[in-house]
Amino acid sequence: MKYKNPIFVALDTSDLDQALAWAIAVRSLVGGVKVGLEFFSSNGAEGLKRIIDLGVPVFLDLKFHDIPNTVHRAVGEVVDLGVSIINVHASGGKAMMEAAVKSSKDKRHDPPLMAAVTVLTSLDENDLVMVGQATPVVGQVERLALLAKTCGLDGVVCSPNEISHLRKVCGDDFLLIVPGIRPRWSSSGDQKRVMTPKEAYSLGADILVIGRPITGAENPTSAVERIVEELNTI
Ligand code: C5P
């Protein structure tokens, strides 16, 4: 792993100044930060560039899902900005994922890591039936993760309870990016199936996406230091 540590802080805000303040508070202590649709819809490429210019690795969580040609072009645009990790929906299919990988590799000698979203953790079996996808959820997650691997993606975003299974079926060199992380001392908020940073990392997670336990803390820098200490006891 080329990052300082597995912690990526989710900068979930549309407010550029707030995102910059959080990023500055944690940049010397974490592996990177994550910005998503909320931030990007409000601040666009200009705002993203301001975060990247702080020198912290950025995971751009836009979950691309469109026809291969459109995804190819969109990936090219964000790779040019200098992001470190990007993602696409695996359900966009083989040709779309291959187009994403090709675009990224054509653009940069050191392309960003490319992760797939398999089944959104907000969906349960009923939701999959409603949209005509195969059940059970775990089978669909596994199928899409293996397809992503075949297409040349570096890994997947998965929930804490999928870490062990995906590590087993996808192998050791497949990146597992895991949100839904809660230190014991923080509240779980709206996350239902949570795991501590230490548990998730011990099970085989590569990147821990952590938002509110850090950004909602009175002192985000101390919150990160506490998590780093916990990880150092493994
Ligand atoms: O604040 P919290 O730690 O719950 O933030 C987690 C981040 O990970 C948020 O940006 C959220 O959108 C994202 N995420 C998630 N669960 C997923 C995929 C992404 O919580 N399955």
Side-chain angles (χ1 to χ4, degrees):
M1 180 59 47
K2 59 184 176 181
Y3 304 111
K4 178 175 289 174
N5 63 41
I7 303 168
F8 270 63
V9 182
L11 307 177
D12 289 324
T13 177
S14 56
D15 181 339
L16 177 60
D17 290 333
Q18 176 67 84
L20 286 166
W22 284 334
I24 289 167
V26 303
R27 67 178 157 179
S28 64
L29 298 168
V30 299
V33 297
K34 178 179 89 82
V35 302
L37 282 167
E38 182 186 359
F39 178 89
F40 199 77
S41 300
S42 167
N43 300 294
E46 295 267 299
L48 175 62
K49 221 32 200 139
R50 298 276 304 276
I51 308 275
I52 292 170
D53 287 346
L54 295 175
V56 62
V58 174
F59 168 15
L60 183 60
D61 180 15
L62 295 184
K63 303 183 181 70
F64 289 133
H65 187 172
D66 210 312
I67 59 171
N69 184 56
T70 301
V71 169
H72 184 277
R73 290 178 184 214
V75 165
E77 294 300 325
V78 296
V79 167
D80 268 347
L81 296 173
V83 294
S84 298
I85 307 178
I86 55 180
N87 59 6
V88 301
H89 271 283
S91 52
K94 183 170 179 286
M96 188 207 78
M97 284 194 278
E98 286 173 348
V101 172
K102 180 167 180 348
S103 173
S104 175
K105 291 193 168 153
D106 285 351
K107 280 274 176 172
R108 257 173 47 196
H109 289 305
D110 61 334
L113 293 169
M114 174 95 57
V117 174
T118 57
V119 177
L120 290 169
T121 49
S122 51
L123 304 180
D124 63 17
E125 312 271 305
N126 280 335
D127 295 308
L128 288 196
V129 170
M130 276 193 273
V131 296
Q133 286 200 23
T135 54
V137 170
V138 64
Q140 183 69 345
V141 166
E142 180 180 324
R143 175 183 297 110
L144 290 173
L146 289 171
L147 179 62
K149 191 174 179 190
T150 309
C151 294
L153 274 78
D154 300 290
V156 289
V157 181
C158 70
S159 78
N161 56 313
E162 291 161 355
I163 299 171
S164 304
H165 184 65
L166 288 178
R167 182 56 71 221
K168 210 179 310 157
V169 298
C170 297
D172 281 342
D173 60 349
F174 199 60
L175 188 77
L176 300 181
I177 302 178
V178 185
I181 301 295
R182 287 291 176 272
R184 275 193 217 295
W185 40 266
S186 68
S187 109
S188 62
D190 55 3
Q191 295 280 12
K192 292 196 180 105
R193 287 186 297 268
V194 297
M195 211 175 259
T196 66
K198 193 172 163 177
E199 284 166 342
Y201 195 61
S202 303
L203 279 178
D206 297 293
I207 288 180
L208 308 170
V209 175
I210 311 176
R212 287 161 292 179
I214 294 169
T215 56
E218 213 167 291
N219 184 334
T221 310
S222 315
V224 173
E225 282 167 347
R226 212 165 155 185
I227 296 169
V228 170
E229 266 171 41
E230 287 168 23
L231 289 173
N232 284 342
T233 64
I234 293 175

